[in-house]
Amino acid sequence: MNVLAALLALGLLVVIHEAGHFLAAVGQGIRVNGFSVGFGPALLKREHNGVTYALRLLPLGGFVSFPDDDDDSTIPEDDPDLLRNRPIPQRVLVISAGVLANLLLAWVVLVGQSALVGIPAAPEPGVMVVAVQPGQAAAKAGLQAGDRILSINGEPLGKGQSAVRGMVEQIQAQPGTTLELVSRSRDPDSGIRKLALTPADQDGQGRIGAQLQANLSDNLQRATNPLEAIAYGSSQFTGLIKNTVVGYSGLITNFGQTAQQVSGPVKIVEMGAQLSRQGGGGLVLFTALISINLAVLNALPLPLLDGGQLVLLLAEGVRGRPLPERFQMAVMQSGLLLLLGLSVVLIVRDTTQLPLVQQLIGR
């Protein structure tokens, strides 16, 4: 059920992203001929008002199709309602709408949880383990999602984000050094445990393969007014965006270390399953986190992504006419090969790190 919940959340994010493109186009009277969730052969298909809606075999994305890209389309090339014939600002809105939809969803989810469920009381001492990567140092030490780390080498960690920063700094500064941890499990029957954690050495910095956050209290208090819920949800939203942007920028400034932390579809579903075990709150955090990641990723100026299409539009605006079609096709084809190759590499890597697969191959 945890894996199913994660898959459903991912599916929702894809639908929301593509719905952003679709609604931005339809709302401006731009012709659309297809809305698909997934890729490959259609499992379900229905046509309504000239638009074909389809659920396809491979649930790893989705797309909105336009008559502009259909060689068999009977619509005249000079039709003013074709996407390519609209002014650049309108086309920019259509391309950007997917990113904006994912950001809006994340904000609504976080603010909604604050308003309906409540706001955590002040952080408690320690650092919470949100997710653990199988086979990495944290998993080998026995840490699990939901654990609260209280101290390192006998020194209490304190509270809030300062505790998280302090723990991360100690881990990064001591690769290969065994650290004595005291942690408390979410299970009240497990009590306090002492663990030995040895950060792996990655280019001179310690890494443990775990996602950490402040140890927020399980005790929730009702927001005194809507503004308080909006303020708390918005602070979570901006914090997640900041951390996501910093993470992606690390691929440029520190590729050797950051690339090891990039996750593919298998790892993302596994992380979602871990968070969903913590209840509805964990699934909400997963939905918001992945929605923001999807938005930031699509905003990158890479071929086939929304950001790459915006770069082509910007170049068209500067030149006063579209770039040569042959050049655009070459860029898109190279981007497709890059993304497909990266997806295959990540799926294979993440699959081989699953505990069951590691047992089967004797690791």
Side-chain angles (χ1 to χ4, degrees), residues 172-188:
Q172 291 179 341
Q174 302 182 70
T177 301
T178 299
L179 305 175
E180 299 295 331
L181 306 183
V182 173
S183 72
R184 183 189 298 275
S185 172
R186 287 182 64 89
D187 183 356

Side-chain angles (χ1 to χ4, degrees), residues 19 36 67 112 123 128 135 147 151 157 181 205 214 225-226 241 250 259 277 290 310 329 332-333 338 343 360:
S36 293
M128 177 187 287
D147 285 355
S151 68
L157 284 172
L181 306 183
Q205 284 196 329
N225 57 69
I241 289 182
R277 293 190 189 103
I290 300 302
L310 288 175
M329 185 63 67
M332 292 302 175
Q333 289 177 344
L338 175 64
S343 297
L360 292 175

Side-chain angles (χ1 to χ4, degrees), residues 19-334:
H21 294 305
F22 179 80
L23 294 175
V26 172
Q28 298 181 96
I30 296 172
R31 292 184 181 273
V32 177
N33 62 0
F35 182 100
S36 293
V37 177
F39 295 99
L43 301 177
L44 297 173
K45 185 186 295 186
R46 182 179 180 182
E47 186 172 337
H48 180 68
N49 291 337
V51 180
T52 300
Y53 300 87
L55 177 64
R56 300 184 180 273
L57 179 63
L58 302 175
L60 297 177
F63 60 93
V64 175
S65 56
F66 297 87
D68 310 53
D69 305 318
D70 185 358
D71 294 334
D72 299 327
S73 175
T74 59
I75 300 173
E77 292 188 358
D78 60 352
D79 188 308
D81 291 335
L82 289 177
L83 179 63
R84 64 169 172 259
N85 296 331
R86 285 302 183 94
I88 287 180
Q90 292 186 14
R91 293 154 66 189
V92 167
L93 177 59
V94 172
I95 293 172
S96 305
V99 169
L100 297 176
N102 281 127
L103 292 176
L104 178 61
L105 173 66
W107 183 82
V108 168
V109 164
L110 292 172
V111 171
Q113 184 188 43
S114 300
L116 299 176
V117 179
I119 298 174
E124 296 180 350
V127 171
M128 177 187 287
V129 179
V130 178
V132 175
Q133 297 180 12
Q136 302 298 311
K140 293 177 181 178
L143 285 173
Q144 299 176 350
D147 285 355
R148 272 80 162 171
I149 301 171
L150 304 178
S151 68
I152 297 181
N153 292 337
E155 293 293 329
L157 284 172
K159 301 179 181 180
Q161 289 301 319
S162 61
V164 178
R165 287 193 298 269
M167 180 172 177
V168 170
E169 290 171 358
Q170 288 192 62
I171 290 170
Q172 291 179 341
Q174 302 182 70
T177 301
T178 299
L179 305 175
E180 299 295 331
L181 306 183
V182 173
S183 72
R184 183 189 298 275
S185 172
R186 287 182 64 89
D187 183 356
D189 297 330
S190 298
I192 293 178
R193 299 184 299 160
K194 292 185 178 180
L195 304 173
L197 173 68
T198 305
D201 189 338
Q202 293 185 4
D203 298 328
Q205 284 196 329
R207 302 286 179 183
I208 64 170
Q211 183 179 350
L212 308 173
Q213 72 172 32
N215 184 15
L216 302 179
S217 173
D218 287 335
N219 298 321
L220 299 177
Q221 56 189 21
R222 283 281 185 180
T224 56
N225 57 69
L227 291 179
E228 185 179 8
I230 292 173
Y232 181 77
S234 298
S235 68
Q236 285 186 302
F237 175 73
T238 54
L240 288 175
I241 289 182
K242 179 180 178 180
N243 291 338
T244 303
V245 171
V246 169
Y248 279 108
S249 64
L251 287 172
I252 300 174
T253 60
N254 196 5
F255 181 82
Q257 294 180 9
T258 309
Q260 299 295 323
Q261 303 173 39
V262 176
S263 297
V266 175
K267 187 69 70 177
I268 291 172
V269 172
E270 182 186 10
M271 183 181 75
Q274 287 183 337
L275 287 173
S276 66
R277 293 190 189 103
Q278 302 177 25
L283 191 58
V284 166
L285 176 61
F286 171 74
T287 302
L289 179 63
I290 300 302
S291 190
I292 289 172
N293 269 266
L294 185 60
V296 174
L297 175 63
N298 271 281
L300 297 177
L302 299 175
L304 282 187
L305 299 181
D306 297 341
Q309 295 183 54
L310 288 175
V311 169
L312 294 178
L313 273 183
L314 177 62
E316 179 180 334
V318 172
R319 296 177 79 242
R321 62 185 188 279
L323 294 170
E325 187 173 343
R326 181 176 298 179
F327 173 78
Q328 294 189 51
M329 185 63 67
V331 170
M332 292 302 175
Q333 289 177 344
S334 63

